[in-house]
Amino acid sequence: MAYKHDQLEPIDEHHVRGKFASRLGFVLAAVGSAVGLGNIWRFPYVMGENGGAAFVLVYLACVAFVAMPVLLVEFAIGRRGQTSAVSSFRVIAPGRKWWLNGLLGVITAFVILSFYSAVAGWVLNYFVKGVTAGFGDYTADNSATRFLSLIDGVSTPLIYQFLAMLITGLIIFFGIENGIERISKLFMPLLFAILLLLIIRAVTLEGAGAGVAFMFQPDFGDVNLRTVLSALGLAFFSLSVGMGAMITYASYVSKDVHLGKTAVTVAGLDTLVALVAGLAIFPAVFAFNMEPGAGPALIFITLPQIFAQMPLGAIVGPTFFLLIFIAALTSMISILEPIVTYLVDDLNIRRHAATALSVVAVYLAGIPACLGADAGGKLGHIKLPFLGKEFGILDYMAEMSNILLLLGGLVSCLFVLIAWNKRDVLAEVAGTRGNAHSPMLRVWYVLAVTLAPLGIVAILLSSLGLF
Ligand code: TRP
């Protein structure tokens, strides 16, 4: 008979919680969550807009001192709780209101998926285009028009967004071990292999050196407060922290896994992929004299023109979009799973019904973002104010998610500081076979309860214009 979190309350068959079968499966699923559009789409263009190498250094600092400590905080909460992100807070601090942070995460998941699934749909569309028609006739004159005619449309982007959500739901439907773990074990090695091939192609192009220099020779003249805010927001987004995705994944992990080591592996691989994605893109951008600061459209408008001119471009192009789609898919499952886990663990809905319900709900919530992605779209005229600026719906969701993630991460750090006893925290992180007294863990703890929350507060206040 199975029992729900340590209480002597027997639970019926379909409420037996799933589990990752191996540590490797968990690591790959967490890496799959972390590596996504944030690394391959957002990181390169944000870096391009913020002057390259100097931004990279700021980003690395944000990952090491803030986002990675928060990642470990989430791992610890989830594994201790062994239940949804909402209830995990309750298990550790019964009778207190901390679980509201878990609920905030469920809302954040909706906000993120609304725009993430729209962009993933564009990627899927470009993959299909690349395979069927190729990018051979993409030029400076028509590349932008073609991209805009996709995202300003109604049925095509909505259908592709739906397909992206449907595939995500299908994987979730099969559960932790047979769905998430299996797909991650298959797709992550594939993703690394494809990425390697793409870099080799990019850096062997004539004139690629300027792109490499752009990434690795810093000019600190470009660094300002906005740079730091975008670096920290991106670090949270890229490591999937601040909304309970990693709490949820860790709730399916057995007690003998050393969470500290896992967090370092996940953060390290995620950062490596972000840098390496830059290496697959900027050498080509410079070799063909394109604009590195092209913004969100970099991969959709700039790259197809490069594929059109580059030797082997007919193969490289679709392969590139396949890579991005795989990365996006393994991230989307980690944003959907917390919603499903919440429905199953807290509201006692069966997994299959919960999956169907959340796919439909998330898809409906994503329609405005899809139709308001660009000024020329059906809902493109709608502008929403955010921190003194106006945004279209999709951009508004993206800006909102930055703030929501920082807020969620902040509360989780404070939770560890205030509501959870230090000795228990360290024991949970080390796991049954690790050393809870290691100096590294103590350093982490200090970061997690001091520098990380202080850094987040400073960035939040300054982005709200308060100082
Ligand atoms: N990390 C993913 C990316 O880089 C996106 C993502 C997945 C995410 N799960 C998340 C972001 C949870 C925030 C919270 O694309």
Side-chain angles (χ1 to χ4, degrees):
M1 181 91 55
Y3 293 93
K4 210 173 176 181
H5 33 92
D6 303 332
Q7 294 152 13
L8 292 182
E9 165 207 339
I11 48 179
D12 61 74
E13 270 299 289
H14 34 256
H15 282 178
V16 173
R17 288 189 101 237
K19 216 174 199 8
F20 286 108
S22 63
R23 172 176 188 263
L24 181 70
F26 167 53
V27 172
L28 290 180
V31 173
S33 166
V35 172
L37 295 173
N39 306 61
I40 306 177
W41 169 64
R42 250 174 126 178
F43 181 83
Y45 86 72
V46 174
M47 176 173 85
E49 286 177 337
N50 285 285
F55 176 81
V56 173
L57 290 179
V58 176
Y59 179 79
L60 291 180
C62 290
V63 168
F65 297 119
V66 185
M68 187 169 70
V70 179
L71 174 62
L72 190 44
V73 162
E74 290 207 1
F75 276 170
I77 295 173
R79 197 192 30 209
R80 175 68 184 78
Q82 298 283 306
T83 174
S84 75
V86 180
S87 283
S88 285
F89 286 101
R90 262 202 215 105
V91 168
I92 302 171
R96 312 269 297 274
K97 291 267 184 287
W98 292 99
W99 57 269
L100 286 170
N101 197 37
L103 212 55
L104 176 72
V106 174
I107 296 168
T108 308
F110 271 89
V111 174
I112 297 179
L113 269 178
S114 71
F115 72 89
Y116 207 93
S117 58
V119 179
W122 306 343
V123 172
L124 187 59
N125 178 273
Y126 265 62
F127 169 65
V128 172
K129 277 197 180 113
V131 171
T132 54
F135 299 114
D137 55 354
Y138 276 64
T139 63
D141 294 331
N142 64 26
S143 200
T145 329
R146 286 179 171 176
F147 176 58
L148 291 179
S149 78
L150 167 69
I151 68 170
D152 288 347
V154 176
S155 55
T156 313
L158 280 178
I159 289 171
Y160 276 93
Q161 183 182 26
F162 185 70
L163 283 176
M165 274 319 301
L166 196 67
I167 302 172
T168 307
L170 210 64
I171 299 168
I172 295 289
F173 192 81
F174 285 101
I176 303 301
E177 187 181 340
N178 291 324
I180 298 178
E181 182 165 1
R182 182 176 292 177
I183 282 291
S184 306
K185 277 179 151 168
L186 178 72
F187 279 175
M188 284 302 109
L190 182 66
L191 182 134
F192 284 107
I194 295 179
L195 202 51
L196 196 67
L197 290 177
L198 293 177
I199 301 171
I200 294 175
R201 172 64 285 192
V203 299
T204 51
L205 288 167
E206 210 171 311
V212 180
F214 176 70
M215 285 184 62
F216 295 109
Q217 285 174 5
D219 173 3
F220 285 98
D222 295 330
V223 175
N224 54 37
L225 202 67
R226 263 219 83 82
T227 323
V228 184
L229 175 65
S230 27
L232 190 65
L234 190 57
F236 266 60
F237 188 83
S238 187
L239 286 192
S240 302
V241 296
M243 70 149 255
M246 293 303 195
I247 298 183
T248 305
Y249 271 16
S251 77
Y252 295 107
V253 175
S254 56
K255 293 283 182 189
D256 57 354
V257 172
H258 193 304
L259 296 176
K261 289 183 183 157
T262 309
V264 174
T265 310
V266 172
L269 283 175
D270 181 67
T271 307
L272 188 71
V273 172
L275 292 175
V276 152
L279 268 187
I281 294 177
F282 287 105
V285 168
F286 278 85
F288 291 96
N289 286 319
M290 303 275 177
E291 170 54 51
L298 180 70
I299 65 167
F300 297 105
I301 298 179
T302 312
L303 289 184
Q305 301 171 50
I306 295 177
F307 299 140
Q309 302 172 41
M310 139 198 297
L312 296 181
I315 299 170
V316 175
T319 311
F320 190 86
F321 285 104
L322 176 65
L323 167 86
I324 304 178
F325 187 68
I326 290 177
L329 191 63
T330 52
S331 296
M332 283 195 294
I333 56 182
S334 78
I335 313 175
L336 190 63
E337 180 59 47
I339 304 177
V340 172
T341 299
Y342 169 67
L343 295 178
V344 173
D345 285 353
D346 294 56
L347 305 183
N348 282 319
I349 299 176
R350 289 191 191 190
R351 184 167 185 96
H352 290 173
T355 308
L357 197 68
S358 54
V359 166
V360 171
V362 163
Y363 180 66
L364 294 178
I367 291 177
C370 187
L371 298 180
D374 174 68
K378 259 274 171 295
L379 299 180
H381 56 282
I382 298 179
K383 297 281 173 235
L384 301 168
F386 186 73
L387 303 180
K389 285 209 265 174
E390 302 235 300
F391 294 93
I393 303 175
L394 185 138
D395 293 332
Y396 177 80
M397 295 296 185
E399 295 287 328
M400 278 271 282
S401 70
N402 265 347
I403 300 288
L404 289 171
L405 291 176
L406 289 173
L407 202 62
L410 172 65
V411 176
S412 292
C413 290
L414 295 178
F415 173 76
V416 165
L417 175 68
I418 298 168
W420 198 359
N421 146 336
K422 178 175 175 185
R423 190 140 30 86
D424 286 354
V425 175
L426 293 180
E428 189 62 57
V429 166
T432 50
R433 293 195 305 201
N435 171 14
H437 303 288
S438 86
M440 283 306 282
L441 284 192
R442 287 170 188 279
V443 172
W444 161 73
Y445 186 85
V446 173
L447 283 178
V449 301
T450 57
L451 193 66
L454 285 176
I456 298 171
V457 169
I459 295 288
L460 274 176
L461 291 181
S462 67
S463 70
L464 297 174
L466 297 183
F467 78 82

